[in-house]
Amino acid sequence: MPQPVIRMKYDCTYTLQRRIADGDEDAFRDLFDRYFDRVLQFMYGFTHDRSMAEDLAQELFIKLWCHRELLPDIRSLNAYVYRAARNIAINALRGQGRSVSLTKILDLKESVLPDDLYYALEKQLVIDLTVEQLPERPRQIFRMSRIEGLNNEEIARRLEITVKTVENHLNIALKRIRHALRNCNTLFW
């Protein structure tokens, strides 16, 4: 009877990085398994296009593999992966002539510490996931307000609803986001 394959999990991130740099495909698979879904959701938060997000997430992992010899020198793998994902998404959107509204939200500068960047990106991911899980109307109104930059009166006019209804839906969205971020803080800090 064949023995079951037991894949080695790497508790030490540096060990994982070193093994990948040495060309260990199983170690790279572990990295992929750890990050792909989160990177995909993060990319989707930028693109709002599932197919494009998948392509960009795959591009990120291809680049990580192609430049694997750099991994042992990376001090924070989490920050590195998310910074690379952010850059790939921004470049892809700029290539399409689209603006990148999340950069305004994150307001990240080159001087941000990698761990601060990681936590900011994780928070943005929590916000994006929470917005995706909102009921249709609050999600639509939240996006119109925060992404398109419309004020409550403009949203009410476009959707042919009252300003009070817009405010109520925004309150629902913001309350859920605040709750998710409070839970996020207990997980990450």
Side-chain angles (χ1 to χ4, degrees):
M1 173 177 281
Q3 292 291 327
V5 175
I6 299 173
R7 294 192 45 219
M8 183 176 174
K9 295 293 177 196
Y10 302 91
D11 293 327
C12 175
T13 303
Y14 179 77
T15 302
L16 176 67
Q17 291 169 228
R18 179 78 257 155
R19 299 288 302 259
I20 294 168
D22 292 339
D24 184 332
E25 291 179 12
D26 287 333
F28 186 74
R29 168 53 73 182
D30 286 340
L31 174 76
F32 182 88
D33 291 344
R34 258 187 220 184
Y35 284 97
F36 186 79
D37 289 338
R38 290 188 288 170
V39 167
L40 176 62
Q41 290 302 317
F42 180 73
M43 294 290 198
Y44 182 76
F46 274 95
T47 64
H48 303 290
D49 177 321
R50 180 60 99 192
S51 177
M52 183 179 190
E54 288 173 1
D55 290 345
L56 295 176
Q58 289 172 5
E59 178 182 338
L60 169 70
F61 285 97
I62 290 168
K63 285 184 178 187
L64 286 173
W65 180 254
C66 290
H67 300 286
R68 64 187 175 273
E69 71 279 356
L70 302 175
L71 289 177
D73 298 326
I74 305 302
R75 292 177 64 195
S76 173
L77 184 61
N78 287 326
Y80 182 79
V81 167
Y82 281 101
R83 181 59 171 248
R86 174 186 172 271
N87 291 341
I88 288 170
I90 289 170
N91 289 338
L93 292 174
R94 283 184 182 151
Q96 292 183 335
R98 291 169 56 185
S99 63
V100 183
S101 61
L102 287 182
T103 56
K104 292 177 189 172
I105 296 169
L106 295 175
D107 193 28
L108 298 173
K109 300 192 173 24
E110 293 300 318
S111 63
V112 174
L113 297 172
D115 287 340
D116 292 340
L117 174 64
Y118 168 73
Y119 291 123
L121 296 174
E122 282 288 333
K123 280 180 136 178
Q124 186 58 50
L125 178 61
V126 168
I127 291 169
D128 292 341
L129 291 172
T130 303
V131 169
E132 287 303 311
Q133 295 172 359
L134 288 170
E136 182 179 346
R137 191 60 111 178
R139 180 176 60 237
Q140 177 187 26
I141 290 173
F142 180 84
R143 286 180 175 160
M144 292 173 83
S145 172
R146 298 309 196 265
I147 295 172
E148 294 178 36
L150 300 176
N151 66 38
N152 293 354
E153 291 78 20
E154 292 170 322
I155 296 169
R157 241 188 332 271
R158 279 194 187 180
L159 298 178
E160 299 177 347
I161 58 177
T162 67
V163 172
K164 186 67 175 163
T165 301
V166 171
E167 292 169 356
N168 289 340
H169 284 299
L170 280 175
N171 285 333
I172 290 168
L174 293 172
K175 182 178 179 180
R176 288 198 186 171
I177 290 168
R178 280 192 297 273
H179 182 265
L181 288 173
R182 268 194 300 277
N183 291 340
C184 165
N185 286 340
T186 61
L187 291 174
F188 299 133
W189 290 282

